[in-house]
Amino acid sequence: MDLTAPVGRRDTDGMAVASFVLGLLGLLVLNVVLGPIAIVLASLALWRGTSRRGRALFGLGLGVADLVVLAALMSADGTVSWSVAP
């Protein structure tokens, strides 16, 4: 991490990394919550001009993928909750 960067830039870089991590976690658990949070954080990081643009875009994509997975699972069994067990 660049400690000489302005605080605002470090905040946006943190948002980009957080969106990536939350989007990745959202594929496994709590995609109804973590997906939208990842999308919002990635959008804010991109809007504020993060230096980690690729990480923010990847977080945005993972957040959208979380919601797609949720929609697919909801259509498969008709509920918001799902499990892997038969």
Side-chain angles (χ1 to χ4, degrees):
M1 178 190 329
D2 183 16
L3 296 178
T4 61
V7 174
R9 177 63 55 122
R10 283 186 286 169
D11 288 346
T12 58
D13 290 349
M15 280 190 251
V17 172
S19 71
F20 169 72
V21 171
L22 292 177
L24 196 57
L25 283 174
L27 289 174
L28 303 173
V29 295
L30 294 174
N31 47 3
V32 70
V33 175
L34 297 179
I37 293 173
I39 292 170
V40 168
L41 286 175
S43 300
L44 282 173
L46 290 169
W47 183 66
R48 291 183 180 179
T50 182
S51 62
R52 296 182 180 219
R53 183 169 170 78
R55 184 95 19 114
L57 288 171
F58 201 51
L60 183 64
L62 285 171
V64 171
D66 291 346
L67 297 179
V68 169
V69 167
L70 176 67
L73 292 171
M74 283 175 48
S75 67
D77 73 358
T79 65
V80 176
S81 64
W82 57 275
S83 66
V84 179

